[in-house]
Amino acid sequence: MQNEIISLKPKGVLSGLCEYLENPVKADEPIYSLKDILYNMPFIHRAFQLTFSSPTTYGELYVPIQKSRFVFDKYRKKGWFEAELEKEHSNKSTLGCLVGFGVDRKYSNKDFYVIRRNKTFKWETYRNKPNQVSLDSFENYYFNIRNKLRYIYSSNDLWYLNSSHKCKRF
């Protein structure tokens, strides 16, 4: 699988799709192995990790999360994203791959970690109605955080957080 090579041309349907997804193909024609591509697909990443265990080259790219939510502190007038890590992923190794996230110290974090995004957004309400600045701030924040999340349709809710650049990806 490592010897199966795929190159992306700067013109064509795939190149157009990459451009639309705001990740244009460079003129130097990137070359990927089939193994690299399968590693980067959220819906088969878990099976890939179980099949190929080489942690020095392929780290955890999609970290399973549960109970994701947006919360706010009405006194600080700030909001942020937080989620629970699955128990088997609640460790320092996983946290090391999640740049921009930290453990939320307001929870016990004994059996699993509750992580939160370090960046916040402005959130001010009057009688539970947010002002336009708050709505615009949340919209921008939501767009940025949503690009880091992947959902896999199944009988269970399967949400994954795309980890940082520290873990190998293309």
Side-chain angles (χ1 to χ4, degrees), residues 60-73:
E60 192 68 53
L61 181 59
Y62 297 102
V63 178
I65 59 172
Q66 302 170 349
K67 299 181 183 174
S68 57
R69 56 200 172 260
F70 293 96
V71 297
F72 73 96
D73 182 335

Side-chain angles (χ1 to χ4, degrees), residues 1-17:
M1 200 180 307
Q2 193 67 32
N3 296 331
E4 301 293 327
I5 302 298
I6 298 169
S7 64
L8 301 179
K9 304 293 183 187
K11 302 244 182 227
V13 175
L14 183 58
S15 176
L17 178 61

Side-chain angles (χ1 to χ4, degrees), residues 26-40:
K26 308 276 192 279
D28 57 355
E29 294 184 24
I31 298 173
Y32 305 105
S33 72
L34 182 57
K35 193 172 184 180
D36 286 337
I37 289 175
L38 293 176
Y39 169 75
N40 281 275

